[in-house]
Amino acid sequence: MKKPSIESIFFFFISLTLFFTNSLFSESQNDIGERLIHTTKFSYWIDPNSSIPVESVLQIGEFKEIKDHFVNFGFLKGTLWLRLNPKNFPDPSKYPLLLIKAHNIDSVELFHKNDGNRYIVSKSGHIQPVFQREIPHRNFVFRIGHEKETILIAIHSEISLQFSLIFTNQRNLQREDYITQWVYGLFFGSIGIIILYNLAIAFFVRDRNYFYYIGYVLFFGLGQLSLLGFWSYFFVPDSYFWKRIGIPFFFSVCLFFFVLFTSNFLKLKVRIPKMARCFQVLGFFSLLNAVISLFGGISEASIGVTWLSLLICVSLLGVLIWGIYKRLRSFYYFAVAFVLLLLTCIVYGLLKFGILPSNAFLEEMLFPIASLADITLFAFALADRIQLLRQEKDLALAQVTSLRKERKISRDILMQSLPKTIPDVKNLQMQIYIQPMKDVGGDFYEYFSPNPYELGIVLCDVSGHGIPASLISAMGKVAFTTQKDNISSPKQVLEGMNRVLYGNCNPQYVTASYVYLNTSTKVWRFGRAGHPSAYLQRASGEIIKVHPKGKIIGVFPEIQIEETTHRVEPKDRILILSDGVLECFHPDGTMYGEAGLIEFLRANREIPNHLFKIKLIQDLESFSKTEIKDWDDDLTFIFLELV
C-alpha cells in the first residue's frame, strides 16, 4: 500500500499539463497574436439598484477606469455597466469577437447602436440557454465589428464576479477551446477513474472512510465542472436553475463529505469528542448551505461556502496541532494537505471578496492544483490506514520511525559539531564537502591552524551509523584536540588518537587521514590509519597516489603509522577523501573507484579551485544516476591547492 497509487500518477501529469497550458494562455500580456486583452480599455459604473435604463446610463453613470486585465468585483449587488468608446475599438477585421472570460454570470447584455438611435441588445449569461446564444460557448461571446458608437455591457451576477474582456477571432477561439477542453477532459476523466478505483477498494475493505472520500472527490469534481463552465455548457445548457446553483451546491456537499471524512479518519469522536461535535455542526451547516442554494439563495450560499471553508480550516488547524503534538501518524498526512488547503481557502476567500487582485490563472487553477495534491495525500492516508490495521506492522513501523528520529537527532548533532569555518591559511585555497547518509553517518573532520602558514587537518570515518557512530565521532574530535602539540607529525597525531580511543569504540572502529601542510616551507606530510589513499596532483598534471601504511584506530592498544613527506609547489593540488567517493556505484553494479577518480582529476586539472567541489559532485551523481542526498553512505572530501 505504500507504492505510488494510480491517483498520484494521474495527478502528477494532469497538474503539470494544466499548469503549462494555463501559462500558455495566461493574461499577462496585452497582445498575444490573435487575441487582444482589452479589459483596461473599458470603464465601469455600478448601478446599485439596477434601476437606470440603458438610455440614461451614459448621462447618469460616473464611469471609472479599469486598471487590471482581470478584474475582480467580488460579491456585487446591483448591475455592473461597462463602457467602450469608439476610439478604443480594435480592428474589426482582425478581432470580430468579444469574449467575456467568466463562467458564472447570471445575465450579460451587450447594447450597441448600428446607424440608428435605438439600442440593439445581444443577450447571454446563465439566464440564456447555451445554444440560443449568438455564439454557444462556456464563456460569453458576442460578435462585434460594425459599431460606430459607444458599446455598453450590463452584467448581473449573484456569485462573486471576476472576468476579463478579450477581443479575438473564430480561429483563435476554436484553437484555445480545443486545447483547454482536451486538458480539462483529461483532468475530469482522471477524477472519474479515481472515483471508480477507490469505489472498488471501498467495497473490498468495507471501510466507510473510502465512501466519504469518494463523496468528497465526486462533488469536488462537480464543483470544478461548474466553476470552469463545463457543467452549464455540456450537462445543463438549458437549465437556468442548475447553472446558477452548481457552484454553491456542489461545493457545499463537497465540504460536508470532507468534514465526515476528516472526523472519521482522525477518530475525533474517541480522541477529541468536543472537536467531533464541532465538525458535526460544520457538516450540518454545509448541508444547510446546499439546501439554501437549492431554494434560490445563490449569493448567500456562495458566501456561505467561503466562510465554511475558512471555519473548517481553522477547526482542522487546532485538531492537527493536537495530533502532531501527540505524534499520531494519521495526522501527518492531513497536516501536509492542510497547509495547501488552508492557503488555498484563504487566498480564494480573499479573491472572492475582492480583497486580493485576481487573474484568470488563479480563478481557474487555484483550487484544482491545490486539491489535486490534497486528494493524492488523502489517498495515501487511506492506504496507510489499511496497513496500520495490522498490529505487527504497526509496531514495526513505529520502531523504524523512532529509530529514524534518533538518527536525525544524531545527524543534527554531528553536523552542528563540525567546524563552522574553513581555515584561513595563506597561499592556500580549500574546498570541504561533507554529506552524511540520509539518516546519520560517521564521517567527520577537524583542523588546527596555529599560525597563518601551518595547517593540520584530520578526516575520519567511524564504522557503522546511528547514535553510536555519532558518539564515537564526538570522542574522536576530543582525541584530536589532545594532539595539537604534535601538529607537524601525522604519525604522532594518529597514534595519539588511537591511545585515547582504544577501549572506547567496541565493537566499532575509526579510520583516519591526517594532512600537515606548511605553505611557507612548502612541506606536506601525510599519514593514514586504514583510510583511503590521498592524491597529489602536480601543476604539470602528474597524479601521485599517496598510500602510507597504517592500521585502524580504536582496536589495537598500539598502532604503527607511516608518514610520507612531499615538497609541494604553487598550483599543486591535494585530495583526501572518505570511501563514499570511491564506493559510488552505477546502477549496473560498476564501481566509480580509483580509476574513475583519477580520470576525473585528469579531465578537470585546469578548473578553478572553487568549481572543483561542484564538478566532482556532478560527476558522481551522473555516474550513480542518483542525487547525493539520497545516497546510502557518507560522502566527504577535502581539496587543497597551493597558490
Side-chain angles (χ1 to χ4, degrees):
M1 300 303 294
K2 297 289 286 183
K3 294 180 179 179
S5 64
I6 189 173
E7 292 97 326
S8 62
I9 297 172
F10 270 117
F11 290 155
F12 175 75
F13 288 108
I14 295 302
S15 58
L16 282 181
T17 308
L18 290 174
F19 177 80
F20 287 113
T21 301
N22 277 273
S23 298
L24 178 64
F25 296 116
S26 65
E27 302 186 1
S28 60
Q29 300 178 13
N30 252 351
D31 189 350
I32 47 178
E34 296 180 292
R35 63 203 304 265
L36 185 67
I37 302 172
H38 223 57
T39 313
T40 56
K41 300 298 182 181
F42 284 77
S43 55
Y44 76 95
W45 171 65
I46 299 172
D47 177 7
N49 300 314
S50 301
S51 59
I52 306 301
V54 62
E55 291 80 9
S56 304
V57 168
L58 292 177
Q59 290 76 32
I60 297 176
E62 298 178 0
F63 284 83
K64 301 177 182 178
E65 292 183 359
I66 295 178
K67 298 181 179 180
D68 298 317
H69 294 306
F70 192 85
V71 64
N72 185 356
F73 287 96
F75 290 95
L76 181 66
K77 297 295 183 180
T79 300
L80 173 68
W81 287 94
L82 302 174
R83 180 183 69 184
L84 181 63
N85 293 323
K87 66 178 182 178
N88 292 321
F89 288 175
D91 182 358
S93 63
K94 188 175 181 181
Y95 306 107
L97 301 180
L98 173 60
L99 168 67
I100 302 178
K101 191 167 186 179
H103 309 303
N104 299 284
I105 297 178
D106 292 334
S107 174
V108 184
E109 295 178 305
L110 186 144
F111 298 91
H112 61 94
K113 294 180 180 180
N114 189 11
D115 297 328
N117 295 322
R118 296 183 61 184
Y119 279 104
I120 300 173
V121 60
S122 298
K123 297 183 178 181
S124 188
H126 286 334
I127 198 170
Q128 192 79 0
V130 171
F131 296 102
Q132 292 182 19
R133 300 173 188 172
E134 184 177 10
I135 298 178
H137 197 268
R138 69 185 181 102
N139 299 120
F140 310 103
V141 185
F142 297 94
R143 194 174 300 280
I144 305 293
H146 303 289
E147 292 71 17
K148 297 180 180 179
E149 297 187 30
T150 299
I151 291 176
L152 290 174
I153 300 175
I155 297 178
H156 177 76
S157 182
E158 294 189 54
I159 297 178
S160 184
L161 184 60
Q162 296 87 26
F163 60 87
S164 62
L165 299 159
I166 301 170
F167 281 94
T168 184
N169 55 47
Q170 189 70 35
R171 181 177 66 178
N172 185 67
L173 191 65
Q174 291 175 346
R175 178 177 64 88
E176 293 189 14
D177 283 349
Y178 174 80
I179 296 175
T180 56
Q181 289 180 21
W182 185 89
V183 172
Y184 285 126
L186 185 60
F187 167 61
F188 289 113
S190 300
I191 287 183
I193 294 174
I194 296 306
I195 292 172
L196 294 176
Y197 172 78
N198 284 280
L199 189 61
I201 297 177
F203 281 109
F204 177 76
V205 300
R206 301 292 180 181
D207 189 340
R208 58 181 174 178
N209 282 291
Y210 269 96
F211 293 101
Y212 295 151
Y213 171 74
I214 290 167
Y216 162 63
V217 176
L218 172 63
F219 282 95
F220 163 76
L222 292 173
Q224 287 298 321
L225 281 171
S226 299
L227 188 66
L228 298 171
F230 294 108
W231 171 254
S232 62
Y233 185 79
F234 289 108
F235 296 93
V236 289
D238 299 323
S239 175
Y240 177 49
F241 173 78
W242 280 106
K243 281 188 285 188
R244 294 179 70 232
I245 73 166
I247 291 177
F249 177 76
F250 290 137
F251 278 119
S252 294
V253 180
C254 173
L255 291 175
F256 169 73
F257 278 107
F258 177 76
V259 166
L260 288 179
F261 173 63
T262 302
S263 180
N264 197 69
F265 181 84
L266 298 179
K267 299 179 181 179
L268 297 185
K269 187 176 291 187
V270 176
R271 291 167 170 166
I272 319 176
K274 290 184 179 180
M275 289 307 302
R277 288 192 289 271
C278 175
F279 271 67
Q280 288 176 350
V281 172
L282 291 172
F284 168 77
F285 278 107
S286 297
L287 277 185
L288 179 61
N289 201 62
V291 173
I292 291 173
S293 68
L294 288 174
F295 283 90
I298 306 301
S299 179
E300 293 78 6
S302 298
I303 295 174
V305 167
T306 302
W307 281 110
L308 282 168
S309 300
L310 293 174
L311 288 172
I312 290 171
C313 284
V314 172
S315 303
L316 187 55
L317 174 61
V319 169
L320 292 175
I321 292 175
W322 178 88
I324 293 174
Y325 175 76
K326 294 292 185 179
R327 297 184 179 181
L328 299 174
R329 180 180 175 83
S330 58
F331 283 70
Y332 295 154
Y333 291 97
F334 267 81
V336 177
F338 170 75
V339 173
L340 294 173
L341 185 63
L342 176 62
L343 292 175
T344 302
C345 290
I346 290 175
V347 173
Y348 194 72
L350 295 175
L351 288 172
K352 289 302 179 184
F353 284 105
I355 299 173
L356 285 180
S358 188
N359 58 65
F361 177 79
L362 281 178
E363 284 296 320
E364 291 199 4
M365 298 312 303
L366 180 64
F367 260 123
I369 290 178
S371 297
L372 287 174
D374 287 339
I375 291 171
T376 304
L377 289 168
F378 294 149
F380 279 117
L382 287 169
D384 187 64
R385 177 184 173 87
I386 295 174
Q387 183 186 38
L388 293 178
L389 291 176
R390 300 179 180 182
Q391 187 175 4
E392 292 183 359
K393 288 187 177 181
D394 189 16
L395 179 60
L397 182 62
Q399 292 173 343
V400 171
T401 302
S402 176
L403 180 60
R404 285 178 177 174
K405 288 181 179 179
E406 291 178 355
R407 286 183 172 182
K408 183 180 184 304
I409 293 172
S410 302
R411 183 182 188 276
D412 293 341
I413 293 173
L414 175 62
M415 295 303 292
Q416 288 296 321
S417 68
L418 294 175
K420 301 297 187 296
T421 60
I422 293 178
D424 186 12
V425 179
K426 289 187 177 180
N427 303 320
L428 181 68
Q429 292 182 343
M430 180 181 303
Q431 292 286 310
I432 299 177
Y433 181 82
I434 181 167
Q435 174 65 47
M437 65 177 290
K438 287 181 288 187
D439 289 320
V440 63
D443 281 9
F444 70 92
Y445 72 93
E446 189 58 85
Y447 71 85
F448 178 59
S449 181
N451 57 65
Y453 297 96
E454 288 185 283
L455 170 67
I457 187 165
V458 66
L459 171 58
C460 299
D461 183 5
V462 181
S463 64
H465 301 287
I467 292 177
S470 65
L471 293 176
I472 294 174
S473 298
M475 289 190 291
K477 292 170 70 66
V478 173
F480 175 71
T481 61
T482 66
Q483 305 301 314
K484 290 183 178 180
D485 292 338
N486 302 319
I487 181 176
S488 62
S489 173
K491 174 181 174 64
Q492 294 183 38
V493 168
L494 295 177
E495 291 177 354
M497 289 180 64
N498 179 73
R499 285 190 289 271
V500 174
L501 292 176
Y502 174 69
N504 296 313
C505 294
N506 268 346
Q508 294 171 282
Y509 59 88
V510 179
T511 68
S513 287
Y514 180 79
V515 169
Y516 167 75
L517 183 63
N518 189 317
T519 59
S520 177
T521 62
K522 305 294 191 299
V523 170
W524 170 48
R525 296 192 181 100
F526 175 71
R528 50 175 289 279
H531 209 72
S533 308
Y535 297 88
L536 170 63
Q537 187 173 27
R538 298 294 190 184
S540 63
E542 177 190 9
I543 297 174
I544 302 173
K545 176 182 175 180
V546 185
H547 190 77
K549 296 179 180 180
K551 293 183 178 180
I552 58 177
I553 293 174
V555 176
F556 308 101
E558 291 292 336
I559 60 174
Q560 294 296 319
I561 298 296
E562 181 183 69
E563 66 178 49
T564 60
T565 302
H566 291 267
R567 180 172 179 80
V568 288
E569 299 296 340
K571 300 301 181 181
D572 284 353
R573 293 177 166 184
I574 299 167
L575 176 65
I576 61 173
L577 43 81
S578 67
D579 57 8
V581 176
L582 301 176
E583 295 176 2
C584 165
F585 287 91
H586 190 274
D588 65 6
T590 306
M591 190 169 73
Y592 189 76
E594 185 175 272
L597 180 63
I598 291 177
E599 180 181 350
F600 171 83
L601 292 174
R602 287 173 177 163
N604 294 275
R605 177 61 187 87
E606 300 302 324
I607 64 170
N609 181 280
H610 68 279
L611 296 179
F612 181 89
K613 177 169 64 176
I614 298 173
K615 290 287 289 184
L616 181 54
I617 293 171
Q618 289 175 345
D619 196 58
L620 293 172
E621 288 183 331
S622 175
F623 182 84
S624 65
K625 311 298 182 185
T626 306
E627 291 186 19
I628 294 294
K629 63 182 179 64
D630 295 325
W631 281 23
D632 292 325
D633 199 1
D634 311 320
L635 176 67
T636 308
F637 58 84
I638 299 173
F639 182 67
L640 311 171
E641 181 176 10
L642 272 73
V643 295

